[in-house]
Amino acid sequence: MSNDDESWLRVKARLRAEVGDDVFSSWFARMDLEQLADGVVRLSVPTRFLKSWIQSHYAERVLACWQAEQDQVGRIELIVRSAVLKTTVQPKPKAELMAASDGARGFGNGVNASVGRPMSAGDPGVHEALGGSPLDARLTFDSFVVGRSNTLAQAAARQVAAARRGDPVMFNPLYIHAGVGLGKTHLLQAITWAGNAGGERKVLYLTAEKFMYGFVSALRTQTALAFKEALRGIGVLVIDDLQFLQGKSTQAEFCHTLNALIDAGRQVVIASDRPPSELESLDDRVRSRLAGGLVVEMGTLGEELRFEILKARVVSARSHHPSFDVPLPVLAYIAKTVTHNGRDLEGALNRLLAHNKLTGQSVTLEMAEREVRDLIRPQEPKRVKIEDIQRIVARQYNVSRSDLLSSRRTANVVRPRQVAMYLAKTLTLRSLPEIGRRFGGRDHTTVLHAVRKIEGLVGNDMALAEEIEILKRQLQE
Ligand code: ADP
Ligand code: MG
């Protein structure tokens, strides 16, 4: 046995003593010494996931153990022994509706963790432990109405749900973003229902919150083996409302999970209220990984789509309440006036249903007008884009968009530019630095100055105030 090999044995013994038998056998048992040269220790592990996990959780400890043996060691290098993924030997998981259980007690109650019991997909412990968020039985593909704003997202979701174990993964992750009430959760749950009904691949649906407090805490107390076993059982991981994912360590674990699943050819589906580029608290690598699949935006529900959704809703309500009838003109009225989102549409119909049930009166236009009054928000702000602001302001003042972004300081450009920045601040949720960047890389103080300037002027200058009102109206149409 060479000197280095002997050192490696002693390093392993040190590590084992430091981290304990369970952790050691989970993470380090299959770690081999490849080479020790020029102060660099090269160690190999069998999977990329193991590598990234060890790198982020144990790199310093491993280095310290080496340095205790050989003080000329300056650096540890981890490599993956074989890039070939042995997907064929994985057990086929039973069709199981994980998300139907809401018992995310976490499998790390200390007992499992300390015995390091491997979890298999058929183990009810995994089912409970990885327990998905509750599913709403109504949120299926059948009840999802397709229109202009969601055609692509729906097609991608269907594709994902229909894919079978072993099929090439077309877009990974599938990332769907849209404002509140535009059908993200509906689509994600539809994928979950459909995927699990097929029984080929287990689909686990988690809200970001459940991911943080159930899944991640379970991971933390689990052994590596159990974690990998658990992940192996998941064919598709669905995470809803990713914007709520918070905390550095949660994000690190999210990153590991994401990488582990994607590298193993498992599908990941994500919904959020914003595109990956605007998940400001996530680090760049995660963001670019998220953006590397298919990113689809669902737009606001158009009037036609709202009308179709309402019709479908009435049909399904009638299966429980056969006497409930809503004349089409009433539906058209609601579709036209309740512009907000899918949730308000549902709320409007629920009120009509309640009124109808409680009073026995049939639904009329007058009743609808009375009942849904507070859901009507004619001047509901729509999501305004900075590009649109620049385009419309440029058109209004007869300058070019590149003039607005340029560093030119002539009066005919400065004012429109200030107006555009002011509108960007008041009509969007963008921060000052972000607005600065979008206006030719200006400093946030420049933007602030512009906003204050225009705010000051509109108080006295009626003509300017009116101009701005007109611009706002155009942008919010
Ligand atoms: P989000 O998760 O994007 O906030 P949800 O998926 O919860 O929105 O949708 C809100 C409500 O609107 C739900 O009741 C949902 O069923 C309904 N809804 C949204 N889009 C559609 C659609 N295209 N077809 C049918 N119902 C829809
Ligand atoms: Mg939702």
Side-chain angles (χ1 to χ4, degrees):
M1 185 180 275
S2 77
N3 236 350
D4 291 344
D5 286 334
E6 277 176 20
S7 297
W8 176 224
L9 281 182
R10 284 197 298 275
V11 167
K12 283 199 283 189
R14 258 176 209 280
L15 262 176
R16 184 188 285 276
E18 284 191 17
V19 300
D21 281 345
D22 288 331
V23 171
F24 182 86
S25 58
S26 304
W27 296 114
F28 303 109
R30 290 190 291 161
M31 182 184 251
D32 291 335
L33 173 66
E34 297 291 329
Q35 198 187 26
L36 171 65
D38 307 323
V40 180
V41 176
R42 180 179 289 187
L43 300 165
S44 70
V45 287
T47 68
R48 280 164 74 172
F49 171 64
L50 215 46
K51 174 185 155 181
S52 74
W53 189 278
I54 293 172
Q55 205 134 40
S56 60
H57 290 76
Y58 297 105
E60 280 168 24
R61 182 160 259 169
V62 174
L63 178 62
C65 287
W66 267 101
Q67 287 172 334
E69 281 304 322
Q70 298 205 12
D71 54 11
Q72 81 278 20
V73 170
R75 193 158 65 80
I76 299 285
E77 196 181 291
L78 277 172
I79 60 167
V80 180
R81 270 201 290 285
S82 158
V84 184
L85 268 161
K86 300 190 186 69
T87 43
T88 48
V89 299
Q90 284 165 3
K92 192 174 171 224
K94 275 197 239 143
E96 212 176 324
L97 205 55
M98 302 190 66
S101 134
D102 190 23
R105 280 176 280 281
F107 40 50
N109 50 15
V111 180
N112 281 343
S114 61
V115 295
R117 183 165 61 95
M119 301 270 188
S120 75
D123 189 329
V126 176
H127 181 271
E128 269 185 23
L130 293 182
S133 305
L135 293 183
D136 183 334
R138 293 171 308 172
L139 303 183
T140 61
F141 281 122
D142 283 345
S143 62
F144 190 84
V145 183
V146 182
R148 200 163 43 85
S149 58
N150 59 26
T151 310
L152 183 57
Q154 192 266 2
R158 272 204 178 266
Q159 174 100 24
V160 162
R164 321 207 131 228
R165 190 156 255 268
D167 280 358
V169 180
M170 301 247 295
F171 11 82
N172 210 4
L174 168 61
Y175 186 109
I176 297 172
H177 66 102
V180 171
L182 301 183
K184 301 183 293 296
T185 296
H186 193 141
L187 260 193
L188 261 50
Q189 296 206 2
I191 293 176
T192 312
W193 285 116
N196 283 326
E200 273 269 321
R201 302 183 303 173
K202 177 146 37 193
V203 184
L204 178 64
Y205 171 87
L206 297 169
T207 58
E209 212 186 21
K210 189 55 65 75
F211 181 84
M212 282 189 279
Y213 300 116
F215 196 72
V216 168
S217 62
L219 300 192
R220 286 198 184 128
T221 43
Q222 263 313 303
T223 63
L225 201 62
F227 172 58
K228 279 185 294 165
E229 280 298 319
L231 278 190
R232 184 174 292 174
I234 301 174
V236 183
L237 179 66
V238 178
I239 300 187
D240 202 354
D241 286 326
L242 187 72
Q243 71 276 9
F244 294 130
L245 197 75
Q246 279 164 357
K248 270 271 165 271
S249 64
T250 303
Q251 290 177 5
E253 258 122 5
F254 170 69
C255 181
H256 285 304
T257 308
L258 193 67
N259 287 334
L261 287 169
I262 292 177
D263 292 346
R266 306 308 163 76
Q267 178 74 53
V268 177
V269 181
I270 284 167
S272 170
D273 69 352
R274 62 200 79 172
S277 58
E278 288 172 26
L279 286 166
E280 295 186 345
S281 65
L282 284 185
D283 82 63
D284 286 344
R285 278 178 322 167
V286 185
R287 263 188 281 176
S288 70
R289 186 107 217 204
L290 289 174
L294 178 65
V295 177
V296 198
E297 177 171 13
M298 287 198 288
T300 48
L301 307 170
E303 185 175 332
E304 219 173 297
L305 184 52
R306 295 198 294 268
F307 184 57
E308 293 304 320
I309 291 175
L310 286 166
K311 278 203 294 195
R313 272 295 160 87
V314 172
V315 170
S316 82
R318 282 172 65 99
S319 65
H320 294 101
H321 311 281
S323 64
F324 182 53
D325 190 25
V326 185
L328 286 183
V330 173
L331 293 184
Y333 166 76
I334 298 175
K336 190 168 192 62
T337 53
V338 178
T339 51
H340 240 183
N341 61 44
R343 261 170 235 176
D344 287 352
L345 291 178
E346 187 176 19
L349 270 190
N350 284 343
R351 287 187 198 179
L352 298 185
L353 177 60
H355 200 88
N356 169 254
K357 288 269 132 191
L358 296 174
T359 66
Q361 289 173 11
S362 51
V363 177
T364 61
L365 206 49
E366 291 71 42
M367 180 208 278
E369 276 172 4
R370 220 171 36 238
E371 290 297 315
V372 306
R373 196 176 300 147
D374 62 306
L375 293 175
I376 301 174
R377 296 178 208 167
Q379 73 295 48
E380 171 207 338
K382 89 171 198 208
R383 285 220 272 189
V384 178
K385 296 195 172 109
I386 290 185
E387 288 97 279
D388 293 338
I389 294 177
Q390 291 168 341
R391 187 170 46 80
I392 284 179
V393 170
R395 193 179 62 195
Q396 177 87 3
Y397 291 97
N398 205 16
V399 293
S400 72
R401 193 169 156 259
S402 53
D403 284 336
L404 292 180
L405 307 192
S406 74
S407 52
R408 286 182 51 207
R409 301 218 32 89
T410 47
N412 70 326
V413 187
V414 169
R415 178 54 46 82
R417 185 184 293 136
Q418 287 174 334
V419 167
M421 289 182 185
Y422 165 82
L423 290 171
K425 185 63 201 145
T426 46
L427 300 181
T428 76
L429 295 171
R430 305 283 175 243
S431 64
L432 293 173
E434 164 103 51
I435 294 170
R437 272 200 295 283
R438 304 284 295 276
F439 278 82
R442 291 180 149 78
D443 194 74
H444 74 276
T445 52
T446 310
V447 183
L448 185 62
H449 172 75
V451 173
R452 296 228 168 107
K453 178 88 188 172
I454 299 299
E455 273 169 358
L457 286 173
V458 289
N460 307 316
D461 185 338
M462 287 307 286
L464 180 66
E466 191 158 315
E467 257 168 46
I468 286 179
E469 269 318 300
I470 291 169
L471 285 167
K472 277 191 182 168
R473 230 171 295 145
Q474 287 180 49
L475 284 161
Q476 288 176 325
E477 241 155 36

